[in-house]
Amino acid sequence: MQIFEAIRQDHERQRLLLKVLCETSGASEAREDYYKSLKKELGQHAIAEERYFYSPLMESDNTIEDSRHGIAEHHQIDKLIAKLDETSMSSPVWLKTLKALQEKVEHHLAEEEREFFQKAGKVFSESEKEKLANEYKAEMEPIRE
Ligand SMILES: [Fe+2]
Ligand SMILES: [Fe+2]
């Protein structure tokens, strides 16, 4: 497996979790559980992706700007999560903020998949693409249990 496929699989998890979470209501157990899962997914993915995708891409002049941009978006996602953490789940503001998070994440994933993957495909060698996938997956392993 190449790094792109490994990342794409986790992006699908994020999309699904966000979709399901948007359908929950109030301070319900379902909302608590799915939100906890989403935070784990997004948090661990950002770490693994920064280490095994963006960091090696920083070494090439062709992809350093994209790396900066992608990492900056991870920070924007963190800020929305911090806002959700400090908002009561029973408040309508919570769902409004979640929708903003969903929009931000969807945009970010699409940009990675449509633009960054293509450029990275030309920067990484075939063996690097596989090595990075293995390292990425190992970094995600703790939340897969
Ligand atoms: Fe990302
Ligand atoms: Fe990603």
Side-chain angles (χ1 to χ4, degrees):
M1 186 191 282
Q2 298 187 337
I3 181 66
F4 312 115
E5 181 58 20
I7 290 178
R8 205 186 297 269
Q9 281 181 358
D10 286 346
H11 285 179
E12 282 309 315
R13 288 174 193 260
Q14 294 168 23
R15 289 185 176 104
L16 186 64
L17 275 169
L18 279 160
K19 185 175 175 284
V20 174
L21 195 53
C22 280
E23 288 159 11
T24 61
S25 58
S28 59
E29 207 173 303
R31 183 172 277 186
E32 297 256 8
D33 288 350
Y34 285 122
Y35 180 55
K36 224 171 131 187
S37 300
L38 178 71
K39 277 208 287 186
K40 261 199 230 169
E41 278 301 323
L42 292 176
Q44 196 67 24
H45 175 70
I47 291 170
E49 195 174 64
E50 285 174 21
R51 278 190 183 142
Y52 302 113
F53 182 68
Y54 285 125
S55 175
L57 286 178
M58 291 247 181
E59 289 171 33
S60 165
D61 287 344
N62 295 325
T63 43
I64 186 164
E65 266 315 311
D66 288 344
S67 303
R68 285 187 186 147
H69 180 83
I71 291 169
E73 287 193 345
H74 288 174
H75 287 294
Q76 292 166 0
I77 289 167
D78 284 346
K79 278 192 186 155
L80 284 167
I81 289 170
K83 194 181 172 196
L84 279 171
D85 279 342
E86 62 196 32
T87 306
S88 164
M89 272 188 178
S90 53
S91 154
V93 177
W94 199 88
L95 189 60
K96 216 178 137 224
T97 310
L98 179 71
K99 292 258 164 87
L101 175 68
Q102 183 183 34
E103 211 172 291
K104 171 63 59 186
V105 172
E106 295 272 3
H107 156 87
H108 177 69
L109 306 185
E111 202 168 45
E112 287 180 336
E113 292 174 3
R114 286 178 204 154
E115 294 175 33
F116 300 176
F117 282 9
Q118 212 198 354
K119 290 189 203 166
K122 294 175 189 154
V123 167
F124 297 143
S125 69
E126 293 308 304
S127 63
E128 268 176 314
K129 288 172 195 169
E130 285 187 22
K131 184 171 173 274
L132 290 169
N134 290 333
E135 290 171 326
Y136 170 86
K137 281 194 283 181
E139 190 77 50
M140 293 303 287
E141 197 53 37
I143 70 159
R144 292 289 167 252
E145 288 155 3

